[in-house]
Amino acid sequence: MIEAPATHPVQSPVEIQGEDLLTNGGFGFGLQGWNVGSPTVLASLNGCVASIDRNGGGFIPILYTDALTTVSGATYALEVLVTEVSHTLQINRTGATIGRITTVGRHRFTWSETLTSRILRFYISGSGTGTASFTNVRYVRVS
């Protein structure tokens, strides 16, 4: 099955409302609840901002969540504050792209869910070098 892409207003000044399904989207507890996708990936925290760095190597740096319970047919929103991006920050959910970000600022994506469990993945797409820093990740069921 091919899923419809998430909708993406370029930037959103208003935070999404509802219960946040992530327990550490602001990285106040380090990388608790997050996983690093490769031992060669440069993933770090500067205060409460996560940074991933694709230093030109063959591995794609990934930060990803533990599995999150979802409801098929419900609408979900993901919001992230990007503080630095020198290449494309791509966000996927299991089996589908949520969006690609090339500018700093608060970004929001919404979609109708088709599965009952998802893993969110944040990584630098493309080839060559690139970095991205982000915080205040929120994942909310909106309907």
Side-chain angles (χ1 to χ4, degrees), residues 29-99:
F29 297 99
L31 291 176
Q32 180 181 331
W34 294 84
N35 304 284
V36 178
S38 167
T40 62
V41 166
L42 300 176
S44 62
L45 287 174
N46 180 7
C48 293
V49 176
S51 295
I52 53 178
D53 184 355
R54 183 174 186 152
N55 59 0
F59 293 96
I60 298 173
I62 297 174
L63 278 179
Y64 64 98
T65 65
D66 295 329
L68 303 167
T69 301
T70 56
V71 176
S72 183
T75 300
Y76 287 82
L78 179 116
E79 183 176 77
V80 59
L81 176 61
V82 176
T83 59
E84 175 191 4
V85 61
S86 68
H87 203 47
T88 302
L89 173 63
Q90 184 159 327
I91 306 169
N92 286 5
R93 63 191 201 276
T94 310
T97 297
I98 292 176

Side-chain angles (χ1 to χ4, degrees), residues 8 14 19 33 47 55 58 60 66 70 94-95 104 107 118 122 142:
H8 176 230
V14 180
E19 179 186 354
N55 59 0
I60 298 173
D66 295 329
T70 56
T94 310
V104 298
H107 299 269
R118 290 285 187 180
F122 292 72
V142 293

